[in-house]
């Protein structure tokens, strides 16, 4: 999901990614530019400008962090899912998100960054992840709304990434998008069941939509006018569609789905604009978005503490896997000798 990364620096104390300068070798630069202009793919072994590499490391690692932190708000409901069927679906979805994180960390590693470096950035609070996961999941309808709206927004963001100029990222996105599509449908289907239930169930769905709608619109990142890195990302074929255009596509796709559910999207300014051929919508609270991105959302501290604890608790698994790999290697060396 998660194109907000283009506009969000990991650590404000770190220097911004430098733009391509005249220090890059002209011949290699020309070859790189020709590949990008021809809509080709850059692969790990190809030469690339340092700023392109750094931008991708930041975007892919922030994306990976978002996938694994994104397991936490829904993980909260696995033990309390209302039926065995819903529990099995939710476990599968949360496990998919863990898998997405793994593909993406692997894609980022091809750019010369280690898994330890990336996880250290996340656990020390220097690296960002999607702001949406810093909000609580208060009732069961939140799980449905996350599938419908959060995974729905993720799909909008990620489909264009299947055509990203960096090969390993683009290829990882193809499978991720197929799974995200299942996530979106399971969420929507769970909500359809709830809105056909009791008044209390309908109220829960509306309450969850009220709390999540604006935060989902903010997931697409700051307005284009306030998104200085977007133009370079577009030039490099990393970003294909602007934040505002993606947000508009999401609003236009979601309004009819809300109508089918019979829920009201909490925006009095939301209206079809005949002239533009799109829906108009109200003002997003960017102060709240930035406060959450910068660590002051309702669950930032809790999410980070849970993630760090999970990593520490899993140390023995990593140690055991490494010991096993060493043993296997020793055995194959002995057999070869
Ligand atoms: Fe995902
Ligand atoms: Fe998902």
């Amino acid at each position: 999901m998660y194109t907000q990364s283009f506009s969000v620096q990991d650590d404000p104390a770190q220097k911004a990614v430098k733009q391509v300068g005249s220090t890059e070798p002209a011949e290699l630069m020309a070859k790189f530019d020709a590949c990008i202009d021809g809509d080709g793919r850059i692969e790990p072994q190809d030469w690339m400008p340092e700023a392109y590499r750094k931008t991708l490391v930041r975007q892919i690692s922030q994306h990976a962090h978002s996938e694994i932190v994104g397991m936490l708000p829904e993980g909260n409901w696995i033990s309390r899912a209302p039926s065995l069927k819903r529990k099995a679906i939710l476990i599968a979805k949360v496990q998919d998100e863990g898998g997405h994180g793994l593909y993406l960390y692997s894609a980022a590693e091809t750019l010369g960054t280690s898994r330890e470096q990336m996880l250290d950035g996340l656990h020390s609070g220097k690296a960002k992840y999607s702001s949406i996961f810093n909000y609580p999941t208060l009732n069961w309808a939140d799980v449905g709304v996350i599938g419908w709206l959060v995974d729905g927004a993720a799909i909008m963001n990620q489909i264009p990434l299947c055509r990203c100029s960096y090969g390993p990222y683009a290829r990882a996105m193809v499978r991720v998008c197929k799974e995200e599509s299942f996530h979106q449908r399971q969420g929507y289907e769970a909500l359809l069941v709830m809105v056909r239930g009791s008044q209390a169930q309908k109220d829960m769905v509306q309450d969850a939509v009220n709390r999540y709608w604006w935060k989902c619109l903010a997931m697409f990142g700051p307005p284009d006018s306030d998104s200085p890195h977007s133009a370079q990302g577009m030039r490099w074929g990393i970003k294909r569609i602007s934040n505002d255009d993606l947000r508009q596509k999401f609003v236009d796709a979601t309004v009819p789905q809300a109508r089918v559910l019979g829920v009201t999207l909490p925006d009095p300014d939301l209206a079809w604009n005949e002239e533009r051929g799109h829906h108009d919508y109200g003002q997003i609270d960017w102060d709240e978005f930035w406060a959450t991105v910068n660590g002051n959302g309702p669950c930032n501290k809790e999410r980070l503490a849970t993630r760090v604890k999970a990593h520490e608790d899993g140390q023995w698994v990593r140690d055991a896997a490494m010991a096993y790999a060493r043993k296997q290697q020793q055995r194959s060396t002995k057999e070869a000798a």
Side-chain angles (χ1 to χ4, degrees), residues 117-181:
Q117 268 174 302
M118 289 185 273
L119 287 176
D120 190 53
L122 174 64
H123 297 160
S124 64
K126 277 187 199 138
K128 303 293 186 208
Y129 56 85
S130 181
S131 56
I132 194 76
F133 301 121
N134 290 313
Y135 294 97
T137 42
L138 302 180
N139 71 46
W140 171 251
D142 288 22
V143 172
V145 166
I146 287 176
W148 174 36
L149 297 179
V150 176
D151 289 277
I155 295 169
M156 270 315 165
N157 262 329
Q158 290 177 174
I159 293 275
L161 289 174
C162 297
R163 293 185 292 121
C164 167
S165 60
Y166 188 58
Y169 193 26
R171 288 189 289 274
M173 277 304 111
V174 174
R175 175 161 174 182
V176 168
C177 284
K178 286 190 178 142
E179 292 177 349
E180 293 302 353
S181 167

Side-chain angles (χ1 to χ4, degrees), residues 2 67 96-97 100 151 158 176 180 183:
Y2 318 113
E67 300 284 355
D96 281 355
E97 305 298 8
H100 297 173
D151 289 277
Q158 290 177 174
V176 168
E180 293 302 353
H183 299 170

